[in-house]
Amino acid sequence: MIKIAKFGGSSVADAEHFKKIRAIVEADPARRFIVVSACGRRFSGDAKVTDLLYLVAAHVRYHVSCDDLLADIGARYFAIADELGLAYPIRDEFAAFAEKAKAGALSTEELVSRGEYFTAQLMAEYLGLPFLDAADVVAFHHDGTLAMGRTHELIQERGIPGGFVMPGFYGATREGRILLLDRGGGDISGAILAQALDADLYENWTDVSGFLSADPRIVENPQPISRITYSEMRELSYMGASVLHEEAVFPVMEAGIPIAVRNTNRPQDPGTIISDREDYVEDEPIITGVTGKKNFVAVHVLKDHMSNEVGIIRRTLTIFERYHVSVEHIPSGIDSFAVVVQGDDVKDCIWSIVADIKTEVAPDAIKVVDDLSLISTVGRNMIGRPGISGQLFAALGNEGISIRMIAQGSDEINIIVGVHKDDFEHAIRAIYRAFSDGDHLLELKDLKKTADESRPHVVDDK
């Protein structure tokens, strides 16, 4: 069995976390392929090494001294090496790096990548595994896009069969130019490695015990999610549940490899398994989770007999495309429809868009609704089950919360409602309570019981 274990920045923050990682790795012989991020925050208010390295790059660009910054970064690594008694010449290696950085001899990408590079070097020695440089196996095209086919070939060719430690977040072109993945790219690196090695499981170790069914800052003690599908995870992540980088899903999803999100600080917790299994069992929750985001804008277009007019929605969407604005939802009625977009995308152009719609679409009325928040209730077990929407809307109505928009995905795994920003947290709590018995999310059998109890009782007196 092969498990890819990726440890995020909070999991490699200091020597104590290195010790936790070694205990985790030694507890399972299948964990022999390790991917690490750069050292993250050690405590509230601390800085991530990656952020400090970006700051170094900015100082170098504007010819400002970065000696103190480099000294702080170096001290982080020196402390880890000293406490763990490592032999890797971190002081000499870091000094050579610092001189190149100050001289402007490194690109921003290569400079920033050294956070992962040094972390992986120290981790490899501490775990007793070989170091594999991501620059040697994660391939980029010249235009900065990933070369997946070549990456697979290089990992198969240069990867050490018995296991290794690889830094995440970066790779290189054929010419050796270091390039970076998006922020959160360590997750992507781990997923790419899992796909290339045809792993049985991709473990993503972080500082939370998997996904929760709601934001704990809004809902008190929300239930953990033990199992979730890739589709559900994408919905929850897009709407604000940021546990795993979205792009990390695709390589393993394509290969059918499940992901386990685990907590480095609480390895005994089962975490969340993400897979493509969509079947359900009797005791699973009706909903998987409730999440949402603020700051949306809805542009309502009203026109009599609109349903008889061909192309009116297309012409409206063309205007949004002209301003490079991505459309989130398009709820519609007989004589109206709304275009929902993220507020930040239209903050500088909303009235220009409205003016163009008036000119090119000629609506009878147009209305802009801002301060809109979207809340998504997600769950594969909602599909085809009567009463879910009614229960949700009743919960909001009972709390006096006005619903300003309703949308549902074609795959029926989510119901999205729009509410005023002031009702955002109140609405999430109301929806969560509607599908909760106080301690647990309601199970499928509970919904059936509720439906049976609410059905009129007919006496057959034949």
Side-chain angles (χ1 to χ4, degrees), residues 144-157:
T145 58
L146 267 172
M148 292 297 293
R150 178 163 167 74
T151 295
H152 282 206
E153 292 174 6
L154 291 172
I155 290 173
Q156 293 290 335
E157 175 188 328

Side-chain angles (χ1 to χ4, degrees), residues 103-124:
L106 302 176
S107 67
T108 296
E109 289 83 357
E110 184 171 2
L111 191 158
V112 171
S113 74
R114 296 308 86 179
E116 275 76 11
Y117 177 87
F118 288 126
T119 304
Q121 287 281 11
L122 296 177
M123 186 65 72

Side-chain angles (χ1 to χ4, degrees), residues 107 109 134-147 150-151 154 158 170-180:
S107 67
E109 289 83 357
D136 294 333
V137 293
V138 178
F140 281 89
H141 294 297
H142 191 73
D143 64 359
T145 58
L146 267 172
R150 178 163 167 74
T151 295
L154 291 172
R158 301 177 182 179
Y170 71 91
T173 64
R174 287 181 182 271
E175 295 77 22
R177 179 165 61 101
I178 299 291
L179 293 177
L180 302 177

Side-chain angles (χ1 to χ4, degrees), residues 320-366:
F320 282 90
E321 183 180 1
R322 180 184 306 154
Y323 289 88
H324 306 288
V325 174
S326 177
V327 173
E328 301 286 330
H329 299 284
I330 314 174
S332 63
I334 297 298
D335 294 322
S336 68
F337 65 91
V339 180
V340 181
V341 298
Q342 294 198 35
D344 288 342
D345 291 348
V346 295
K347 62 182 180 182
D348 298 323
C349 61
I350 183 62
W351 300 116
S352 295
I353 291 173
V354 169
D356 287 357
I357 293 173
K358 287 180 178 178
T359 301
E360 299 174 33
V361 179
D364 294 328
I366 186 168

